């Protein structure tokens, strides 16, 4: 099995493990080399792919793929609350580009006008540069489905666990993939991975993500994943998905502490490949590969 396993984020349902791997593997190899790490071969890196589990089945009279969400329709309450949280954060981070919401209180009755304004605002931010509103609604739907559909959640974690083996030293999770990586390690104590690297992670979003984790937080603190010795968390300061930029205060457990690191991803603050080519990410993976001791 590969020494490094990458868990992708949302919006990959029309790709596949080889197509995703073709972009993320060289990007990570560039980041590790930039950090002065070892020269990695392609077989040193594996991609844990779960995007197909969000792909709707074919067939039917008029089915041409996934039904496109309409910004004019009232969204699911969970999706709306997450959208407004991201809009509020985007306006705080980039007030010169993103207009502030008139009222972003979670739980307020949904209004299509507010949803459309939020979508317009977020597509002006570095979080979703060049992305459309229907794509963003699809993103919200996948986050909501993972956190609220137990059978789907279990199947996704099984797909990730299958990519992890006794030789895996580092598990890298991006965006929703960081939540999946965290929960997979917590659910698989018999297959520990010494180093966890989370990038662009929504793990710290209160109520909507953090408080819905499995295992659940206790007294406001998330549980440290079993078997993990080192955890590095990286994000761009303009990334609204990584709403809580420092995960250490939420997950640190005694001497086991998260190393929170900011990176600069330029115009696309949340992009996976931009994260992987960063020297900071390369350094985190290099450190993970060098963790001494044998696997438990």
């Amino acid at each position: 099995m590969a020494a490094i396993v990458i868990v992708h984020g949302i919006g990959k349902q029309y790709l596949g493990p080889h197509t995703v791997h073709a972009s993320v593997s060289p990007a990570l190899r560039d980041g590790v080399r930039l950090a002065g790490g070892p020269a990695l071969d392609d077989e040193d890196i594996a991609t844990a792919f779960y995007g197909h589990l969000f792909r709707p089945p074919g067939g039917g009279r008029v089915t041409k793929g996934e039904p496109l969400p309409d910004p004019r329709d009232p969204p699911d309450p969970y999706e709306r609350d997450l959208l407004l949280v991201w809009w509020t954060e985007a306006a705080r981070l980039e007030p010169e580009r993103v207009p502030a919401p008139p009222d972003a209180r979670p739980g307020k009755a949904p209004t299509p006008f507010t949803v459309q304004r939020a979508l317009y605002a977020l597509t002006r931010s570095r979080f979703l540069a060049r992305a459309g509103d229907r794509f963003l609604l699809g993103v919200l739907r996948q986050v909501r489905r993972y956190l609220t559909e137990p059978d789907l959640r279990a199947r996704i974690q099984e797909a990730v666990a299958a990519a992890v083996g006794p030789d895996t030293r580092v598990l890298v999770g991006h965006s929703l993939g960081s939540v999946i990586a965290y929960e997979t390690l917590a659910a698989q104590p018999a297959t520990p991975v010494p180093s966890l690297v989370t990038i662009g992670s929504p793990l710290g979003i209160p109520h909507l993500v953090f408080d819905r984790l499995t295992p659940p937080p206790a007294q406001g603190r998330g549980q440290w994943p079993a078997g993990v010795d080192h955890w590095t968390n990286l994000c761009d300061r303009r990334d609204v998905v990584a709403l809580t930029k420092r995960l250490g205060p939420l997950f640190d457990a005694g001497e086991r502490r998260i190393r929170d690191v900011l990176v600069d991803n330029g115009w696309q603050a949340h992009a996976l490949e931009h994260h992987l080519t960063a020297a900071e990410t390369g350094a985190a993976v290099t450190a993970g590969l060098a963790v001494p001791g044998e696997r438990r």
Side-chain angles (χ1 to χ4, degrees):
M1 305 294 284
I4 306 162
V5 175
I6 300 174
V7 187
H8 64 82
I10 37 87
K12 308 297 185 186
Q13 65 270 29
Y14 295 111
L15 301 178
H18 293 95
T19 49
V20 172
H21 186 78
S23 63
V24 301
S25 177
L28 180 58
R29 291 162 66 187
D30 285 341
V32 169
R33 178 59 66 90
L34 188 62
L40 298 174
D41 295 323
D42 191 58
E43 56 265 28
D44 294 322
I45 304 169
T47 300
F49 188 77
Y50 64 88
H52 61 290
L53 296 173
F54 284 111
R55 185 168 185 158
R61 291 179 300 159
V62 296
T63 300
K64 295 182 180 180
E66 185 177 20
L68 290 175
D70 192 329
R72 295 169 297 181
D73 294 336
D76 175 272
Y78 175 92
E79 296 173 18
R80 180 185 181 276
D81 284 351
L82 184 57
L83 175 63
L84 291 180
V85 164
W86 285 348
W87 181 11
T88 302
E89 178 69 357
R92 184 186 72 83
L93 294 172
E94 299 185 85
E96 73 285 359
R97 296 192 57 83
V98 181
D103 189 345
R105 291 175 298 177
K108 188 182 178 185
T111 59
F113 174 74
T114 299
V115 169
Q116 288 177 302
R117 285 193 62 184
L119 294 170
Y120 172 76
L122 278 170
T123 54
R124 292 174 58 87
S125 72
R126 294 174 192 261
F127 159 54
L128 275 178
R130 303 182 179 90
D133 51 12
R134 282 187 167 90
F135 172 80
L136 178 54
L137 289 175
V139 167
L140 296 166
R141 177 178 296 174
Q142 289 190 9
V143 174
R144 187 258 305 164
R145 289 193 61 199
Y146 175 78
L147 291 171
T148 61
E149 297 182 20
D151 290 344
L152 176 64
R153 195 174 195 163
R155 292 174 65 196
I156 289 174
Q157 290 181 20
E158 288 171 3
V160 172
V164 175
D167 297 325
T168 305
R169 308 288 299 174
V170 185
L171 187 61
V172 181
H174 172 247
S175 192
L176 177 60
S178 70
V179 178
I180 297 166
Y182 168 83
E183 292 194 335
T184 300
L185 292 179
Q188 302 285 337
T191 310
V193 177
S195 296
L196 173 63
V197 177
T198 51
I199 53 181
S201 177
L203 275 165
I205 298 179
H207 309 301
L208 298 171
V209 177
F210 179 73
D211 296 285
R212 295 170 181 259
L213 292 174
T214 302
Q219 297 181 335
R221 299 195 68 83
Q223 297 190 37
W224 188 275
V228 172
D229 296 317
H230 297 273
W231 181 349
T232 302
N233 176 62
L234 304 104
C235 67
D236 187 299
R237 68 178 182 86
R238 297 184 181 88
D239 188 347
V240 303
V241 171
L243 182 70
T244 302
K245 303 297 187 284
R246 298 181 63 245
L247 296 182
L250 293 175
F251 291 94
D252 286 348
E255 295 182 356
R256 294 174 297 182
R257 295 182 174 273
I258 296 175
R259 181 170 177 261
D260 287 303
V261 179
L262 289 177
V263 299
D264 186 344
N265 286 336
W267 182 245
Q268 293 181 294
H270 192 63
L272 173 56
E273 289 80 4
H274 288 212
H275 271 291
L276 295 177
T277 57
E280 293 89 346
T281 304
V285 171
T286 298
L289 292 172
V291 172
E294 297 181 355
R295 290 291 305 277
R296 299 182 184 85

